[in-house]
Amino acid sequence: MKPAPFHYHAPGTEGEALALLAELAPEEGRILAGGQSLIPAMALRVARPAHLVDIGNVPGFDRLTSEDGILRIRPCVRHAALGTGTVPGPLGALLETMRGHVAHLPIRTRGTFCGSLANADPASEWCLLAATLGSSMLLRSVRGGREVAGEAFFQGFMTTALAPDEMLVEVRLPLLAETVRTGFFEFSRRAGDFAQAAALAVLELRHGAIVAPRLGLGAVEDRPRRLPEAEMMLEGRAPSAALFREAAAAARAGLLPMDEDSYRLDLAETAIRRALSAATGVPE
Amino acid sequence: MSGLHDIVLTVNGERHAVRVEARRTLADVIREDCGLTGTHLGCEHGVCGACTVLMDDQPVRACLVFAVQAQGRALRTVEGLAQGSRLSPLQQAFVDNHALQCGYCTPGFLMLGTAILEQDPAIGDEALVDALSSNICRCTGYANIAKAIRAAAAAMRAETAAAEVA
Amino acid sequence: MDGLIPVEERPALAAGPGDFVGRSVTRIEDAPLVRGEGLFAADVNFTRQLHMRVVRAEFAHARILSVSTEAARAMPGVVAVWTAEDVADIPLIPFRATKVRGLEPYCQPVLARDRMRYVGEPVAVVFADDAYRAEDAAEMVVVEAEELAVLLDATAAPGEFAPGLHTEPTIVRKEYGEVEAAFRSAHAVVELELSVGRHSGVPLETRGAIARYDAARDVLELHGTAKKQHWNRDEIARLLGRPPQGVHLFEGHVGGGFGVRGELYPEDLLVCAAALRLRRPVKWIEDRREHLVATNHSREQHHRIRAAVDADGRLLGIDDVFFHDQGAYVRTHGARVVDLAAGMLPGPYRLPAFRVAGHFRLTNKTPSATYRAPGRFETTFVRERVMDAIAARLGLDRIEVRRRNLVTAAEMPHARPLDTLGVDVVLDSGDYGGLLDKALSRFGWDALQGELAARRASGECVGAGLAFFVEKSGLGPSDGVRVAVDATGAVELVSGAASVGQGVETVLAQICAEALGVDYARVRVVRGRTDRIEFGNGAHASRVTVMSGSATWKAALAVREMALDCAARLLQLPSSGLTIRDGVVMREDGLAGPTVTLAEIARGMGPNSRAMHGHTPGLTAERWFWSDHMAYPYGIHLALVRIDRGTGRVVAERYLVANDVGRAINPMLVEGQIVGGLAQGLGGALYEEFRYDPSGQPLSTTFADYLIPTIAEMPVVDVLIAEDAPSPLNPLGVKGAGEGGTNGAGAAIAAAVDDALRRPGAITALPVVPATVHRLLGGLA
């Protein structure tokens, strides 16, 4: 299980990296960030890029900043860097919670947030996060830069809006107000395994009613997304086990699962109910 | 097809100048080019953790890093744990608590355990189980591995306490 | 000193902990392993070595039309590429002695000839100067094949293996008592259809083989071996046309065996043939993806079992028909696993009549063989499900049903009119009911029932189950050990045993130290080396402590006797008044007096010593231990599980294994075997399975699909080691401890899940996966 041969490039600046990408992308050139998804694929020889552009040495690529209510995550921010210690408020707490489900500790010291998004595995926790919150992605190439909203970024099974010569240079997540409540639930066979169903609920409670709910589902369809039917059902209503069940059933009806299997859909409903329960504090 | 890269790997404080293809993993280069075969390959796709080494004090899977990426980092492997004939407290605890049988997963667990003890020696039980779930052992059933890490933490606390008194 | 091996009985090991035996001393193996200084197969390197890479079949069943190697040969670093033609002179890989006839045509060639029969079968090999380049070149070998129909279901009618041969090489039948009469007169008959999923040992170290031809000495060396060196040496020699003394097998450190490592595989023969022909060392290290499709699978069986009982739930007879999915070829175990399953199915119960037919069937999957508790993990599941079914049918308590059927201590030894592995099944000793009581008490079974009721009332889905198992161990027929004390007083013990990482050196050193009166840490143990001892039977079937341990006891006692005789003359004291402590011969009564060390005695027994005139020099003895019968450890598994209704996940919360091992030479190591064995048993009960798609493509090809339990999946485990029933068959009283932890896990988990679901008999197949449990719960609540 040794990787096939490739040419290795290690640019020292963002500009160099983009120039290399422009030149090499047509020749199966790819970015190497954390490598925790790419390298196993290369070991199995299901991925055989002819060129790798290692962005691990570009100064500033590991920068993580919170300003003006926005968390900015640059390309080489590792999973391990995201949590309550580095990000304030409920977003920091949510990152800390979800981070614990991202593979295992030694993967988290290398793998990157942006790398996960660019890889777009449907079971990825960070992809679910980005699809559920109002995120935006900054894509850049030698041709210029553009901003893509989170919902439009994930386009299919392991397919994103990224053109072959584009790099995801920054992901922007809104910092969450102190009144925002979050709940996350994931089911996997063993600790650290890929999720078989994952749900994220972000909402506020005002006068006992759910306000501005965002409900996202991952690992069931070919990409993570919000569940508008369920969100509409939740808006303005008091949380209860019955409501969670209703919302989950409504979501289920509209799902296009990768696996046409009622168990998988059952897991989706369970995940939704539990995420809502965790966010509202009401048992499901 | 691909060229050779001259790199210097610093492993357990020693510099190794090697010439490698970019596709050679850090695990293979440590084993074959640096001659340190204590780091083992169990799966080569990043699941079993047998190849765990420390890179700048963080546990990483050496099979998921290309050697060329590890230049300039401080690498630590199992061979660097003992001081001469003196085993580290964790190594000794593994022996005292029968935390190994075939020994194949042991270097990976020792490096993971070393990182845990350096970063959070008072780690809670649930967190310890979560951290150790990174690595697979096929022989021991794990109980003694967790026990050994706790024992090492206690031994290190006692040593620190004794040193402070002295 | 003498070549004679006296037949008289040696004194048995006294009960209770001795100076070393019975103590949880730390292992002498550990230092190099914790230092990262081990020598596993991948750590073995020779100058000028070539790396071998296997090109494997990509279809489950196909006629091979052509294998094109030119492109591969042209790749950088490639020295040779072989196909079946290049190794046509190497016969099919044989199997070990068995009474079963007609298996020969079903053996595997080292490289597929006209047909490929499973995905992963070796079709060609590439030899290159570097492992990366060998893999590059292997990709360039082009295999043209015409797909054939695949057979993936061992319960379906057999198909064609080759013209004139169908895919059921044999049916293993055993029968005794009046089976028909038992069913006619039964108060009730339970009938179950049960299956165990395909899974296997999957050690953390993959296989490896490094062959080197030492032209200077005309010796072919094979490194990286394990388990069964002497038989493998003999077969390799025979298959390659060399005399056995011209082949040496070496064992370094072994990263787990569990039955699957150390058998003779195509790759072992290929590296040996290549080393001889290419005149360079040849190294082959299996990768994980290869391992999961090429190393022996195990366990897949489907049983249709009927049990006849009287009104009190006592067994009158059992009739079992089962289908064993052997995979594509017969390997070195022949039909052994089927034989074991058939012979061990009755377990601990009194059974007046029994009939079993084990259909040994080939399919287009990876070939199968033994894996820890082979045939027993499967049949304990089957048999204990039957016992639970009897309880449910008659409205009896699950424990009570078992008590009524357990063979009692007074009935020991209990001979079944059966044989397995060519040996009569005679349960040698045991207090089954007594251990059951201890286990239930230790687990808190009675109090637990109240706890379960309370938890269920508060909405939890929880349950408990148990399984009784009987193991087999100490498979003979023999093993030998040579103990020698050198001029410095250091002791070397050479055994025909092998290591699979279990701690064989420490256990043998403890026994030797106990007998001889030296420090166990000063005993060097040599194992797995055909060049150091002429005969040996290796490490498998939990035999080493029994066989090599007993031989060690005898040999070390013989050396002790020699030393005391010598010392008696030197010290002018009767040998009966002397003892040996820490290598020093002294008065037994502790009074001051003259002493002499073993070193001094050894020096006096050298070849230049006048006193040795007419004798064979050296403070050395070689002794053999023979056994026609196996010893039968036994015990109970008790499991407490909780089910998550929303997902169907089964969480094992608490677990007890009670295991009578006759005698624990090192309790800490015995416990380690049990807990480690349990982890594997839980894997087979809940997580591990080799699955295939309808065309025979394996779906479990990486550790992302084949799920091995991590620490997070383990319950809190309590181990109760009992020594109530020492085996009367060996001077140590030991029974093996390697497999009990695995044996009952499938059965106990199934029982606990049934109990949690409140549906007796719900679980009929392993592994118990969340989707199944969720369905049994009726989907979403």
Side-chain angles (χ1 to χ4, degrees):
Chain A
M1 282 167 67
K2 313 298 184 190
F6 60 86
H7 292 291
Y8 173 78
H9 311 266
T13 68
E14 182 177 312
E16 261 179 66
L18 292 178
L20 279 166
L21 205 51
E23 180 198 331
L24 300 170
E27 293 171 47
E28 301 165 41
R30 293 190 55 169
I31 291 175
L32 172 67
Q36 304 300 280
S37 297
L38 180 59
I39 298 179
M42 291 175 71
L44 293 166
R45 297 203 176 197
V46 297
R48 313 169 65 109
H51 296 270
L52 283 187
V53 179
D54 182 358
I55 58 171
N57 300 313
V58 177
F61 266 17
D62 59 355
R63 222 174 54 229
L64 180 70
T65 54
S66 309
E67 58 206 11
D68 302 324
I70 306 279
L71 178 68
R72 294 169 196 269
I73 306 172
R74 299 278 280 157
C76 286
V77 171
R78 315 266 181 201
H79 304 308
L82 295 161
T84 50
T86 50
V87 179
L91 180 60
L94 178 60
L95 288 166
E96 182 104 11
T97 298
M98 293 181 78
R99 186 190 73 197
H101 292 268
V102 175
H104 291 287
L105 173 60
I107 304 272
R108 298 197 288 263
T109 58
R110 294 290 299 164
T112 64
F113 184 94
C114 290
S116 283
L117 262 55
N119 189 47
D121 189 308
S124 155
E125 290 82 1
W126 295 149
C127 292
L128 174 60
L129 177 75
T132 307
L133 294 183
S135 62
S136 77
M137 329 298 197
L138 234 62
L139 282 49
R140 215 171 270 158
S141 72
V142 292
R143 300 175 285 115
R146 59 189 182 114
E147 205 174 310
V148 175
E151 299 90 71
F153 183 73
F154 302 104
Q155 300 184 342
F157 179 76
M158 299 190 76
T159 308
T160 68
L162 282 163
D165 67 340
E166 277 181 319
M167 179 176 2
L168 179 60
V169 296
E170 190 171 288
V171 176
R172 293 175 184 163
L173 299 175
L175 292 176
L176 300 174
E178 287 301 328
T179 50
V180 172
R181 307 165 69 108
T182 66
F184 173 73
F185 179 82
E186 171 182 316
F187 175 72
S188 60
R189 289 296 303 278
R190 296 172 306 170
D193 282 347
F194 285 102
Q196 294 196 319
L200 172 60
V202 181
L203 48 84
E204 294 193 55
L205 286 177
R206 265 181 232 150
H207 309 299
I210 294 172
V211 171
R214 288 172 173 266
L215 183 63
L217 181 72
V220 177
E221 295 188 318
D222 68 0
R223 74 202 85 165
R225 67 176 175 90
R226 286 172 68 181
L227 305 166
E229 314 90 330
E231 287 174 351
M232 279 194 302
M233 192 162 289
L234 294 164
E235 176 77 57
R237 291 178 64 184
S240 71
L243 176 65
F244 302 157
R245 214 166 295 147
E246 238 185 281
R252 181 197 186 113
L255 292 179
L256 288 168
M258 289 184 289
D259 232 332
E260 259 310 333
D261 163 32
S262 70
Y263 173 65
R264 206 58 183 269
L265 293 168
D266 287 349
L267 285 179
E269 285 198 59
T270 297
I272 290 166
R273 285 158 57 176
R274 291 189 181 172
L276 288 169
S277 172
T280 58
V282 173
E284 54 102 17
Chain B
M1 183 185 178
S2 52
L4 294 170
H5 298 262
D6 288 309
I7 59 172
V8 177
L9 292 181
T10 307
V11 187
N12 302 325
E14 263 183 52
R15 293 165 56 82
H16 296 260
V18 296
R19 172 170 289 177
V20 297
E21 281 183 279
R23 63 168 168 163
R24 297 281 305 288
T25 63
L26 179 60
D28 279 338
V29 172
I30 286 174
R31 288 177 51 77
E32 312 293 335
D33 302 75
C34 305
L36 298 165
T37 58
T39 301
H40 297 149
L41 297 175
C43 74
E44 293 185 287
H45 58 279
V47 178
C48 76
C51 66
T52 305
V53 300
L54 298 187
M55 185 147 87
D56 294 337
D57 301 326
Q58 295 300 326
V60 302
R61 306 218 202 265
C63 72
L64 295 189
V65 179
F66 293 118
V68 291
Q69 293 178 285
Q71 246 203 138
R73 313 277 184 202
L75 297 165
R76 282 194 279 159
T77 67
V78 63
E79 290 92 341
L81 292 180
Q83 312 275 39
S85 60
R86 220 175 94 107
L87 298 178
S88 76
L90 185 59
Q91 287 172 307
Q92 188 60 54
F94 265 55
V95 174
D96 295 339
N97 290 279
H98 190 39
L100 65 150
Q101 290 182 28
C102 81
Y104 199 74
C105 75
T106 304
F109 270 106
L110 284 171
M111 299 321 291
L112 180 63
T114 297
I116 291 169
L117 289 174
E118 284 175 1
Q119 290 171 26
D120 188 8
I123 189 170
D125 286 334
E126 234 179 85
L128 180 60
V129 165
D130 194 53
L132 293 180
S133 70
S134 290
N135 285 18
I136 292 175
C137 172
R138 204 51 174 152
C139 293
T140 66
Y142 304 103
N144 287 349
I145 293 174
K147 219 167 121 196
I149 290 173
R150 290 270 179 241
M156 287 159 69
R157 272 198 304 273
E159 221 177 280
T160 315
E164 277 162 11
V165 165
Chain C
M1 181 176 176
D2 54 35
L4 293 173
I5 298 178
V7 172
E8 84 281 3
E9 280 306 309
R10 287 286 171 189
L13 182 59
D19 292 328
F20 299 100
V21 164
R23 298 203 180 277
S24 294
V25 296
T26 59
R27 297 194 327 169
I28 54 183
E29 294 88 324
D30 285 355
L33 292 171
V34 295
R35 297 180 68 102
E37 290 170 351
L39 187 74
F40 295 90
D43 307 332
V44 174
N45 290 301
F46 294 111
T47 17
R48 296 188 69 239
Q49 69 189 3
L50 292 170
H51 292 260
M52 183 173 92
R53 177 76 182 173
V54 181
V55 178
R56 297 186 181 276
E58 293 182 349
F59 298 117
H61 195 201
R63 192 166 295 123
I64 298 175
L65 300 173
S66 67
V67 182
S68 313
T69 61
E70 298 85 60
R73 261 192 269 254
M75 295 283 286
V78 173
V79 163
V81 181
W82 288 358
T83 65
E85 278 153 25
D86 297 289
V87 290
D89 55 328
I90 304 180
L92 304 183
I93 302 172
F95 45 85
R96 294 204 282 283
T98 174
K99 291 195 295 194
V100 175
R101 304 220 153 288
L103 298 179
E104 288 79 358
Y106 300 99
C107 292
Q108 184 168 356
V110 295
L111 287 176
R113 294 169 178 174
D114 48 306
R115 279 206 217 186
M116 53 178 81
R117 291 198 165 83
Y118 65 100
V119 173
E121 179 171 2
V123 175
V125 276
V126 170
F127 301 97
D129 58 6
D130 157 282
Y132 283 67
R133 304 218 269 194
E135 192 169 337
D136 294 339
E139 284 191 309
M140 305 302 288
V141 173
V142 180
V143 180
E144 265 188 52
E146 180 194 312
E147 287 182 76
L148 300 168
V150 295
L151 181 55
L152 299 172
D153 181 357
T155 65
E160 187 195 73
F161 176 83
L165 290 171
H166 65 76
T167 57
E168 184 178 79
T170 191
I171 303 172
V172 174
R173 297 186 193 276
K174 299 183 195 285
E175 182 166 352
Y176 68 81
E178 305 295 329
V179 176
E180 292 312 320
F183 280 89
R184 270 198 306 272
S185 65
H187 169 79
V189 172
V190 300
E191 205 165 318
L192 300 176
E193 195 152 342
L194 301 163
S195 60
V196 178
R198 199 175 195 79
H199 62 285
S200 198
V202 190
L204 200 62
E205 180 197 15
T206 55
R207 290 183 292 140
I210 309 91
R212 188 175 88 100
Y213 175 58
D214 180 340
R217 288 156 48 231
D218 186 29
V219 171
L220 171 66
E221 296 179 354
L222 182 61
H223 299 257
T225 68
K227 190 179 184 186
K228 201 82 185 148
Q229 281 83 1
H230 288 81
W231 187 85
N232 288 351
R233 185 266 320 266
D234 290 344
E235 289 310 305
I236 290 170
R238 188 175 64 78
L239 294 166
L240 297 182
R242 292 185 65 80
Q245 335 92 349
V247 179
H248 287 323
L249 265 51
F250 294 84
E251 180 182 86
H253 287 110
V254 177
F258 316 122
V260 304
R261 183 197 315 276
E263 294 298 323
L264 201 54
Y265 286 92
E267 295 90 348
D268 301 310
L269 288 159
L270 287 164
V271 295
C272 285
L276 289 170
R277 289 183 209 174
L278 301 176
R279 300 306 243 229
R280 286 172 70 170
V282 177
K283 178 171 179 173
W284 173 72
I285 302 298
E286 184 182 52
D287 70 33
R288 184 54 65 185
R289 188 165 44 176
E290 289 183 282
H291 178 87
L292 294 174
V293 298
T295 297
N296 285 336
H297 284 188
S298 200
R299 296 281 197 252
E300 188 171 3
Q301 288 186 355
H302 189 92
H303 289 247
R304 296 183 183 138
I305 185 166
R306 299 158 61 226
V309 291
D310 67 16
D312 293 324
R314 271 174 250 267
L315 289 165
L316 299 174
I318 284 179
D319 184 358
D320 182 39
V321 175
F322 71 95
F323 303 90
H324 173 92
D325 190 322
Q326 172 56 25
Y329 292 104
V330 170
R331 278 200 169 155
T332 47
H333 282 101
R336 245 172 204 225
V337 178
V338 175
D339 187 58
L340 278 168
M344 294 295 289
L345 190 141
Y349 305 118
R350 216 174 288 110
L351 185 58
F354 179 54
R355 177 165 62 213
V356 61
H359 292 257
F360 182 71
R361 291 200 172 162
L362 302 182
T363 59
N364 297 111
K365 300 176 190 169
T366 303
S368 264
T370 57
Y371 163 40
R372 206 166 194 173
R376 283 99 68 192
F377 178 90
E378 301 89 310
T379 54
T380 292
F381 172 68
V382 169
R383 177 192 65 250
E384 296 297 300
R385 297 274 67 208
V386 165
M387 301 311 283
D388 284 342
I390 293 168
R393 171 72 68 85
L394 299 183
L396 292 171
D397 174 70
R398 295 176 288 170
I399 312 252
E400 183 55 28
V401 152
R402 288 168 165 86
R403 272 198 213 287
R404 291 182 187 177
N405 285 284
L406 286 173
V407 171
T408 64
E411 294 167 83
M412 296 291 182
H414 181 77
R416 296 207 187 276
L418 270 185
D419 71 59
T420 192
L421 298 192
V423 157
D424 292 336
V425 176
V426 181
L427 305 176
D428 53 342
S429 63
D431 183 2
Y432 297 161
L435 188 60
L436 179 58
D437 289 336
K438 284 194 201 174
L440 292 170
S441 164
R442 173 87 157 236
F443 196 63
W445 181 264
D446 292 335
L448 179 60
Q449 303 313 309
E451 203 185 296
L452 289 172
R455 290 178 70 179
R456 286 178 190 135
S458 73
E460 285 190 274
C461 188
V462 286
L466 81 155
F468 207 111
F469 72 88
V470 174
E471 253 305 311
K472 56 152 257 320
S473 68
L475 180 64
S478 66
D479 236 301
V481 161
R482 187 166 58 242
V483 173
V485 182
D486 73 14
T488 71
V491 180
E492 186 180 70
L493 185 165
V494 184
S495 77
S499 167
V500 289
Q502 74 278 48
V504 56
E505 288 100 319
T506 298
V507 168
L508 296 184
Q510 284 176 262
I511 295 167
C512 181
E514 191 77 33
L516 187 47
V518 297
D519 179 5
Y520 86 104
R522 288 202 74 204
V523 178
R524 173 192 292 273
V525 178
V526 176
R527 38 84 187 161
R529 295 278 301 256
T530 60
D531 62 334
R532 291 299 312 270
I533 190 163
E534 199 187 341
F535 303 112
N537 274 307
H540 57 98
S542 300
R543 64 186 301 277
V544 171
T545 307
V546 174
M547 300 302 296
S548 303
S550 298
T552 299
W553 178 248
K554 290 170 70 170
L557 282 181
V559 172
R560 180 194 186 89
E561 220 173 85
M562 264 187 248
L564 290 180
D565 274 348
C566 225
R569 271 179 269 120
L570 289 172
L571 303 179
Q572 303 278 294
L573 289 168
S575 68
S576 57
L578 294 173
T579 189
I580 311 177
R581 251 169 235 137
D582 209 17
V584 180
V585 184
M586 59 182 68
R587 289 176 66 113
E588 175 139 49
D589 59 16
L591 295 178
T595 63
V596 62
T597 66
L598 290 179
E600 288 165 325
I601 295 172
R603 282 199 290 274
M605 291 176 71
N608 300 329
S609 166
R610 299 242 56 181
M612 294 306 299
H613 194 69
H615 298 277
T616 308
L619 182 51
T620 308
E622 179 174 322
R623 288 294 183 272
W624 282 77
F625 180 71
W626 293 80
S627 179
D628 290 330
H629 290 278
M630 293 192 283
Y632 295 85
Y634 60 94
I636 297 105
H637 282 229
L638 287 156
L640 166 61
V641 304
R642 181 182 79 247
I643 295 176
D644 174 347
R645 287 199 176 85
T647 62
R649 184 203 301 284
V650 175
V651 175
E653 288 188 349
R654 193 157 70 83
Y655 208 101
L656 171 74
V657 179
N659 195 343
D660 191 300
V661 297
R663 176 156 203 161
I665 302 295
N666 186 322
M668 185 171 70
L669 300 199
V670 169
E671 186 174 306
Q673 286 299 304
I674 291 171
V675 177
L678 176 63
Q680 291 190 301
L682 289 175
L686 291 169
Y687 296 99
E688 299 174 38
E689 192 175 12
F690 287 117
R691 295 179 307 114
Y692 288 81
D693 82 5
S695 70
Q697 288 296 321
L699 297 172
S700 318
T701 57
T702 69
F703 277 168
D705 324 295
Y706 189 89
L707 305 178
I708 292 176
T710 70
I711 188 175
E713 284 70 53
M714 291 295 291
V716 173
V717 182
D718 187 14
V719 176
L720 171 57
I721 297 169
E723 296 175 290
D724 299 328
S727 176
L729 302 176
N730 62 74
L732 304 170
V734 297
K735 302 180 179 180
E739 296 166 273
T742 305
N743 187 318
I749 291 292
V753 172
D754 272 7
D755 191 48
L757 294 173
R758 318 302 282 142
R759 288 177 59 163
I763 299 300
T764 57
L766 297 176
V768 180
V769 296
T772 303
V773 174
H774 187 69
R775 179 176 46 79
L776 288 167
L777 282 165
L780 283 173

